[in-house]
Amino acid sequence: MRVLGIDPGLTRCGVGVVDGVPGRPGTLVAYQVVRSEPDEDIALRLLHLDRSLAELVERHRPEQVAVERVFSQHNARTVMGTAQASAVAILAGARAGLPVQTYTPSEVKAAVTGSGVADKAQVTAMVTRLLKLDAPPKPADAADAIAIAICHIWRGGTRARIQAAAVAAARRSSR
C-alpha cells in the first residue's frame, strides 16, 4: 500500500510517501515540505498548498492519504492556519478519489515510538530506524509526515479498506 502522509501547516506542510504493509518495515518513496510565506495573502497560500498537494498526488499515485488531525492549541491564530491547511490536505485526497484518514498527534507518536507523548526527536529517530534511512529526514515537518504515513499503514489499513469500499459503493449508487 502506498500512503501519502501529510503534517498540515500553512507555513510548512510536511509530506511523506511510504510504501508498506501492516507489521513490516516500509519503504520511503519521497518526502518534502511545502512552504509559503506568512506575509502572503491567505488565499494565495492555500491555493499554493492545494496545487502542490495535487501535483504530489499525481506524481506519487498514493492509494490512500493520511492527515494529522488538528488539535487545540493555545494560539488561536496558529490553530486556524493549521485547520485551513488540514482541510486543503483532506480535500486533495478526496478530489483524487482516495480514502482519507486522520490521526491525532498522540496516535501517530504511539504507533511509531510506542509512546503517545514522544517528542519530535524521538519520532524522527524512530522514522529513521524503521525505514532504515541513512540520515534522519529534515525538517521535522517532513519526519512527522512520514510518521503519519507509517501510522496509517500499521493502524489504518483495515479501516481504510472499509472506507474505500464505502466510497466505491456510494459512487456506484450515485450513477
mmCIF file of all heavy atoms in Angstrom, residues 103-118 123 126 130 147-156:
data_model
loop_
_atom_site.group_PDB
_atom_site.id
_atom_site.type_symbol
_atom_site.label_atom_id
_atom_site.label_comp_id
_atom_site.label_asym_id
_atom_site.label_seq_id
_atom_site.Cartn_x
_atom_site.Cartn_y
_atom_site.Cartn_z
ATOM 1 N N TYR A 103 -5.459 11.230 11.929
ATOM 2 C CA TYR A 103 -4.903 10.671 13.165
ATOM 3 C C TYR A 103 -4.484 11.801 14.079
ATOM 4 O O TYR A 103 -3.943 12.813 13.605
ATOM 5 C CB TYR A 103 -3.673 9.787 12.863
ATOM 6 C CG TYR A 103 -4.017 8.590 12.036
ATOM 7 C CD1 TYR A 103 -3.924 8.627 10.652
ATOM 8 C CD2 TYR A 103 -4.468 7.414 12.632
ATOM 9 C CE1 TYR A 103 -4.266 7.529 9.881
ATOM 10 C CE2 TYR A 103 -4.819 6.314 11.867
ATOM 11 C CZ TYR A 103 -4.712 6.380 10.493
ATOM 12 O OH TYR A 103 -5.066 5.293 9.736
ATOM 13 N N THR A 104 -4.699 11.617 15.365
ATOM 14 C CA THR A 104 -4.238 12.611 16.334
ATOM 15 C C THR A 104 -2.723 12.507 16.469
ATOM 16 O O THR A 104 -2.139 11.445 16.189
ATOM 17 C CB THR A 104 -4.864 12.389 17.720
ATOM 18 O OG1 THR A 104 -4.407 11.146 18.246
ATOM 19 C CG2 THR A 104 -6.393 12.425 17.659
ATOM 20 N N PRO A 105 -2.084 13.574 16.907
ATOM 21 C CA PRO A 105 -0.635 13.500 17.129
ATOM 22 C C PRO A 105 -0.243 12.365 18.077
ATOM 23 O O PRO A 105 0.753 11.674 17.838
ATOM 24 C CB PRO A 105 -0.298 14.867 17.724
ATOM 25 C CG PRO A 105 -1.350 15.782 17.166
ATOM 26 C CD PRO A 105 -2.595 14.930 17.101
ATOM 27 N N SER A 106 -1.026 12.137 19.110
ATOM 28 C CA SER A 106 -0.669 11.059 20.054
ATOM 29 C C SER A 106 -0.834 9.679 19.421
ATOM 30 O O SER A 106 -0.064 8.760 19.729
ATOM 31 C CB SER A 106 -1.473 11.169 21.347
ATOM 32 O OG SER A 106 -2.850 11.104 21.098
ATOM 33 N N GLU A 107 -1.797 9.491 18.521
ATOM 34 C CA GLU A 107 -1.922 8.218 17.806
ATOM 35 C C GLU A 107 -0.694 7.951 16.949
ATOM 36 O O GLU A 107 -0.184 6.833 16.897
ATOM 37 C CB GLU A 107 -3.161 8.215 16.894
ATOM 38 C CG GLU A 107 -4.477 8.050 17.591
ATOM 39 C CD GLU A 107 -5.641 8.131 16.612
ATOM 40 O OE1 GLU A 107 -5.811 9.183 15.960
ATOM 41 O OE2 GLU A 107 -6.381 7.129 16.507
ATOM 42 N N VAL A 108 -0.229 8.996 16.262
ATOM 43 C CA VAL A 108 0.940 8.857 15.393
ATOM 44 C C VAL A 108 2.175 8.528 16.230
ATOM 45 O O VAL A 108 2.925 7.599 15.922
ATOM 46 C CB VAL A 108 1.160 10.137 14.556
ATOM 47 C CG1 VAL A 108 2.458 10.058 13.771
ATOM 48 C CG2 VAL A 108 -0.027 10.373 13.635
ATOM 49 N N LYS A 109 2.380 9.276 17.303
ATOM 50 C CA LYS A 109 3.540 9.050 18.167
ATOM 51 C C LYS A 109 3.522 7.644 18.747
ATOM 52 O O LYS A 109 4.548 6.960 18.783
ATOM 53 C CB LYS A 109 3.572 10.083 19.288
ATOM 54 C CG LYS A 109 3.854 11.484 18.804
ATOM 55 C CD LYS A 109 3.687 12.485 19.938
ATOM 56 C CE LYS A 109 3.879 13.906 19.448
ATOM 57 N NZ LYS A 109 3.709 14.883 20.532
ATOM 58 N N ALA A 110 2.357 7.204 19.213
ATOM 59 C CA ALA A 110 2.248 5.867 19.799
ATOM 60 C C ALA A 110 2.528 4.778 18.768
ATOM 61 O O ALA A 110 3.185 3.778 19.066
ATOM 62 C CB ALA A 110 0.858 5.672 20.414
ATOM 63 N N ALA A 111 2.042 4.966 17.554
ATOM 64 C CA ALA A 111 2.250 3.957 16.512
ATOM 65 C C ALA A 111 3.725 3.818 16.166
ATOM 66 O O ALA A 111 4.218 2.714 15.947
ATOM 67 C CB ALA A 111 1.451 4.316 15.258
ATOM 68 N N VAL A 112 4.421 4.938 16.104
ATOM 69 C CA VAL A 112 5.800 4.926 15.636
ATOM 70 C C VAL A 112 6.806 4.684 16.759
ATOM 71 O O VAL A 112 7.797 3.991 16.556
ATOM 72 C CB VAL A 112 6.106 6.248 14.882
ATOM 73 C CG1 VAL A 112 7.563 6.345 14.493
ATOM 74 C CG2 VAL A 112 5.237 6.344 13.643
ATOM 75 N N THR A 113 6.550 5.253 17.943
ATOM 76 C CA THR A 113 7.533 5.146 19.036
ATOM 77 C C THR A 113 7.091 4.251 20.181
ATOM 78 O O THR A 113 7.914 3.878 21.008
ATOM 79 C CB THR A 113 7.843 6.533 19.642
ATOM 80 O OG1 THR A 113 6.694 6.990 20.379
ATOM 81 C CG2 THR A 113 8.229 7.534 18.575
ATOM 82 N N GLY A 114 5.808 3.964 20.257
ATOM 83 C CA GLY A 114 5.295 3.209 21.395
ATOM 84 C C GLY A 114 4.824 4.104 22.526
ATOM 85 O O GLY A 114 4.267 3.634 23.510
ATOM 86 N N SER A 115 5.019 5.413 22.391
ATOM 87 C CA SER A 115 4.601 6.366 23.416
ATOM 88 C C SER A 115 3.855 7.517 22.774
ATOM 89 O O SER A 115 4.379 8.180 21.873
ATOM 90 C CB SER A 115 5.817 6.920 24.177
ATOM 91 O OG SER A 115 5.420 8.004 25.003
ATOM 92 N N GLY A 116 2.655 7.776 23.260
ATOM 93 C CA GLY A 116 1.847 8.867 22.725
ATOM 94 C C GLY A 116 2.332 10.239 23.118
ATOM 95 O O GLY A 116 1.790 11.239 22.661
ATOM 96 N N VAL A 117 3.359 10.305 23.969
ATOM 97 C CA VAL A 117 3.899 11.598 24.395
ATOM 98 C C VAL A 117 5.352 11.790 23.945
ATOM 99 O O VAL A 117 6.068 12.631 24.476
ATOM 100 C CB VAL A 117 3.779 11.796 25.930
ATOM 101 C CG1 VAL A 117 2.322 11.874 26.340
ATOM 102 C CG2 VAL A 117 4.507 10.694 26.673
ATOM 103 N N ALA A 118 5.769 11.021 22.959
ATOM 104 C CA ALA A 118 7.144 11.135 22.444
ATOM 105 C C ALA A 118 7.370 12.534 21.883
ATOM 106 O O ALA A 118 6.441 13.173 21.383
ATOM 107 C CB ALA A 118 7.386 10.086 21.360
ATOM 108 N N VAL A 123 10.395 10.804 17.494
ATOM 109 C CA VAL A 123 9.651 10.423 16.290
ATOM 110 C C VAL A 123 10.604 10.353 15.098
ATOM 111 O O VAL A 123 10.612 9.371 14.344
ATOM 112 C CB VAL A 123 8.488 11.411 16.014
ATOM 113 C CG1 VAL A 123 7.862 11.155 14.643
ATOM 114 C CG2 VAL A 123 7.435 11.307 17.112
ATOM 115 N N MET A 126 12.863 7.269 15.324
ATOM 116 C CA MET A 126 12.174 6.015 15.014
ATOM 117 C C MET A 126 11.835 5.915 13.528
ATOM 118 O O MET A 126 11.940 4.828 12.950
ATOM 119 C CB MET A 126 10.912 5.866 15.862
ATOM 120 C CG MET A 126 11.200 5.459 17.292
ATOM 121 S SD MET A 126 12.236 3.970 17.444
ATOM 122 C CE MET A 126 11.185 2.734 16.721
ATOM 123 N N LEU A 130 13.024 2.793 11.550
ATOM 124 C CA LEU A 130 12.012 1.906 10.953
ATOM 125 C C LEU A 130 12.166 1.775 9.442
ATOM 126 O O LEU A 130 11.938 0.700 8.883
ATOM 127 C CB LEU A 130 10.604 2.405 11.276
ATOM 128 C CG LEU A 130 10.167 2.287 12.731
ATOM 129 C CD1 LEU A 130 8.889 3.077 12.966
ATOM 130 C CD2 LEU A 130 9.997 0.830 13.130
ATOM 131 N N ALA A 147 5.952 9.788 9.542
ATOM 132 C CA ALA A 147 5.394 9.048 10.683
ATOM 133 C C ALA A 147 3.887 8.860 10.535
ATOM 134 O O ALA A 147 3.346 7.800 10.876
ATOM 135 C CB ALA A 147 5.719 9.772 11.993
ATOM 136 N N ILE A 148 3.201 9.859 10.011
ATOM 137 C CA ILE A 148 1.751 9.759 9.789
ATOM 138 C C ILE A 148 1.460 8.664 8.763
ATOM 139 O O ILE A 148 0.533 7.862 8.946
ATOM 140 C CB ILE A 148 1.186 11.128 9.349
ATOM 141 C CG1 ILE A 148 1.300 12.130 10.498
ATOM 142 C CG2 ILE A 148 -0.257 11.007 8.873
ATOM 143 C CD1 ILE A 148 1.220 13.585 10.075
ATOM 144 N N ALA A 149 2.255 8.601 7.713
ATOM 145 C CA ALA A 149 2.073 7.548 6.705
ATOM 146 C C ALA A 149 2.317 6.173 7.319
ATOM 147 O O ALA A 149 1.552 5.228 7.074
ATOM 148 C CB ALA A 149 3.009 7.783 5.516
ATOM 149 N N ILE A 150 3.375 6.035 8.127
ATOM 150 C CA ILE A 150 3.663 4.755 8.792
ATOM 151 C C ILE A 150 2.510 4.381 9.715
ATOM 152 O O ILE A 150 2.051 3.230 9.724
ATOM 153 C CB ILE A 150 4.990 4.830 9.573
ATOM 154 C CG1 ILE A 150 6.175 4.991 8.621
ATOM 155 C CG2 ILE A 150 5.166 3.585 10.467
ATOM 156 C CD1 ILE A 150 7.489 5.329 9.317
ATOM 157 N N CYS A 151 2.028 5.326 10.486
ATOM 158 C CA CYS A 151 0.895 5.079 11.388
ATOM 159 C C CYS A 151 -0.291 4.545 10.607
ATOM 160 O O CYS A 151 -0.936 3.574 11.016
ATOM 161 C CB CYS A 151 0.522 6.378 12.117
ATOM 162 S SG CYS A 151 -0.984 6.298 13.102
ATOM 163 N N HIS A 152 -0.583 5.154 9.484
ATOM 164 C CA HIS A 152 -1.731 4.713 8.689
ATOM 165 C C HIS A 152 -1.526 3.299 8.153
ATOM 166 O O HIS A 152 -2.445 2.481 8.189
ATOM 167 C CB HIS A 152 -1.979 5.676 7.532
ATOM 168 C CG HIS A 152 -3.160 5.272 6.711
ATOM 169 N ND1 HIS A 152 -4.453 5.383 7.174
ATOM 170 C CD2 HIS A 152 -3.246 4.738 5.473
ATOM 171 C CE1 HIS A 152 -5.282 4.942 6.250
ATOM 172 N NE2 HIS A 152 -4.575 4.543 5.207
ATOM 173 N N ILE A 153 -0.338 3.010 7.675
ATOM 174 C CA ILE A 153 -0.066 1.662 7.167
ATOM 175 C C ILE A 153 -0.267 0.639 8.268
ATOM 176 O O ILE A 153 -0.891 -0.399 8.060
ATOM 177 C CB ILE A 153 1.359 1.582 6.577
ATOM 178 C CG1 ILE A 153 1.430 2.390 5.275
ATOM 179 C CG2 ILE A 153 1.773 0.130 6.347
ATOM 180 C CD1 ILE A 153 2.848 2.652 4.782
ATOM 181 N N TRP A 154 0.245 0.930 9.446
ATOM 182 C CA TRP A 154 0.179 -0.041 10.533
ATOM 183 C C TRP A 154 -1.170 -0.092 11.231
ATOM 184 O O TRP A 154 -1.618 -1.153 11.641
ATOM 185 C CB TRP A 154 1.256 0.257 11.568
ATOM 186 C CG TRP A 154 2.633 -0.055 11.080
ATOM 187 C CD1 TRP A 154 2.997 -0.589 9.871
ATOM 188 C CD2 TRP A 154 3.852 0.157 11.782
ATOM 189 N NE1 TRP A 154 4.354 -0.717 9.791
ATOM 190 C CE2 TRP A 154 4.910 -0.272 10.953
ATOM 191 C CE3 TRP A 154 4.149 0.674 13.036
ATOM 192 C CZ2 TRP A 154 6.226 -0.204 11.340
ATOM 193 C CZ3 TRP A 154 5.466 0.746 13.413
ATOM 194 C CH2 TRP A 154 6.501 0.300 12.566
ATOM 195 N N ARG A 155 -1.834 1.060 11.376
ATOM 196 C CA ARG A 155 -3.072 1.096 12.149
ATOM 197 C C ARG A 155 -4.323 1.270 11.313
ATOM 198 O O ARG A 155 -5.397 0.876 11.727
ATOM 199 C CB ARG A 155 -3.019 2.226 13.167
ATOM 200 C CG ARG A 155 -2.020 1.974 14.243
ATOM 201 C CD ARG A 155 -2.241 2.888 15.383
ATOM 202 N NE ARG A 155 -1.400 2.455 16.499
ATOM 203 C CZ ARG A 155 -1.403 3.002 17.665
ATOM 204 N NH1 ARG A 155 -2.190 4.024 17.912
ATOM 205 N NH2 ARG A 155 -0.627 2.551 18.629
ATOM 206 N N GLY A 156 -4.181 1.919 10.174
ATOM 207 C CA GLY A 156 -5.365 2.297 9.425
ATOM 208 C C GLY A 156 -5.662 1.464 8.215
ATOM 209 O O GLY A 156 -6.631 1.731 7.519
#
